[in-house]
Short mmCIF file of all heavy atoms in Angstrom, two decimals:
data_model
loop_
_atom_site.label_atom_id
_atom_site.label_comp_id
_atom_site.label_asym_id
_atom_site.label_seq_id
_atom_site.Cartn_x
_atom_site.Cartn_y
_atom_site.Cartn_z
N PRO A 168 -16.37 27.84 5.27
CA PRO A 168 -15.74 29.10 5.66
C PRO A 168 -14.24 28.94 5.92
O PRO A 168 -13.80 27.94 6.47
CB PRO A 168 -16.48 29.47 6.96
CG PRO A 168 -17.80 28.78 6.86
CD PRO A 168 -17.52 27.50 6.13
N GLU A 169 -13.49 29.95 5.53
CA GLU A 169 -12.05 29.95 5.74
C GLU A 169 -11.73 30.23 7.21
O GLU A 169 -12.61 30.64 7.98
CB GLU A 169 -11.40 31.02 4.85
CG GLU A 169 -11.43 30.68 3.36
CD GLU A 169 -10.66 29.41 3.05
OE1 GLU A 169 -9.47 29.33 3.43
OE2 GLU A 169 -11.25 28.49 2.44
N PRO A 170 -10.49 30.02 7.66
CA PRO A 170 -10.12 30.32 9.04
C PRO A 170 -10.43 31.77 9.42
O PRO A 170 -10.37 32.67 8.58
CB PRO A 170 -8.61 30.05 9.07
CG PRO A 170 -8.41 29.03 8.00
CD PRO A 170 -9.38 29.38 6.92
N VAL A 171 -10.75 31.97 10.69
CA VAL A 171 -11.13 33.30 11.18
C VAL A 171 -10.06 33.81 12.14
O VAL A 171 -9.34 33.03 12.77
CB VAL A 171 -12.51 33.26 11.89
CG1 VAL A 171 -13.59 32.87 10.91
CG2 VAL A 171 -12.48 32.29 13.08
N TYR A 172 -9.98 35.12 12.26
CA TYR A 172 -9.01 35.75 13.15
C TYR A 172 -9.47 35.62 14.59
O TYR A 172 -10.63 35.90 14.91
CB TYR A 172 -8.83 37.21 12.77
CG TYR A 172 -7.77 37.93 13.56
CD1 TYR A 172 -6.48 37.42 13.67
CD2 TYR A 172 -8.06 39.14 14.20
CE1 TYR A 172 -5.51 38.09 14.39
CE2 TYR A 172 -7.09 39.82 14.91
CZ TYR A 172 -5.81 39.29 15.02
OH TYR A 172 -4.84 39.95 15.73
N SER A 173 -8.56 35.21 15.46
CA SER A 173 -8.92 34.98 16.86
C SER A 173 -9.06 36.28 17.66
O SER A 173 -9.65 36.28 18.74
CB SER A 173 -7.84 34.12 17.53
OG SER A 173 -6.63 34.85 17.66
N GLY A 174 -8.49 37.36 17.14
CA GLY A 174 -8.47 38.62 17.87
C GLY A 174 -7.11 38.93 18.46
O GLY A 174 -6.86 40.06 18.92
N SER A 175 -6.19 37.95 18.44
CA SER A 175 -4.86 38.15 19.01
C SER A 175 -3.79 37.95 17.95
O SER A 175 -3.95 37.14 17.02
CB SER A 175 -4.60 37.16 20.15
OG SER A 175 -5.42 37.43 21.26
N THR A 176 -2.71 38.69 18.10
CA THR A 176 -1.52 38.49 17.29
C THR A 176 -0.42 37.99 18.21
O THR A 176 -0.44 38.23 19.42
CB THR A 176 -1.10 39.79 16.57
OG1 THR A 176 -0.15 39.50 15.56
CG2 THR A 176 -0.52 40.81 17.54
N ALA A 177 0.55 37.26 17.67
CA ALA A 177 1.56 36.61 18.50
C ALA A 177 2.96 36.88 17.98
O ALA A 177 3.19 36.98 16.77
CB ALA A 177 1.31 35.12 18.56
N PHE A 178 3.89 36.97 18.91
CA PHE A 178 5.32 37.11 18.63
C PHE A 178 6.04 35.98 19.35
O PHE A 178 5.71 35.66 20.50
CB PHE A 178 5.83 38.47 19.10
CG PHE A 178 5.12 39.63 18.48
CD1 PHE A 178 3.97 40.14 19.06
CD2 PHE A 178 5.59 40.22 17.31
CE1 PHE A 178 3.29 41.21 18.49
CE2 PHE A 178 4.92 41.29 16.74
CZ PHE A 178 3.77 41.79 17.32
N ARG A 179 7.05 35.42 18.69
CA ARG A 179 7.77 34.29 19.28
C ARG A 179 9.25 34.40 18.99
O ARG A 179 9.66 34.96 17.96
CB ARG A 179 7.25 32.97 18.71
CG ARG A 179 5.80 32.66 19.01
CD ARG A 179 5.36 31.38 18.35
NE ARG A 179 5.28 31.51 16.91
CZ ARG A 179 5.24 30.48 16.06
NH1 ARG A 179 5.33 29.26 16.53
NH2 ARG A 179 5.14 30.68 14.78
N GLY A 180 10.04 33.84 19.87
CA GLY A 180 11.47 33.85 19.66
C GLY A 180 12.17 32.85 20.57
O GLY A 180 11.57 32.30 21.50
#
Side-chain angles (χ1 to χ4, degrees):
E169 290 298 306
V171 297
Y172 184 52
S173 69
S175 292
T176 194
F178 302 87
R179 297 177 290 163

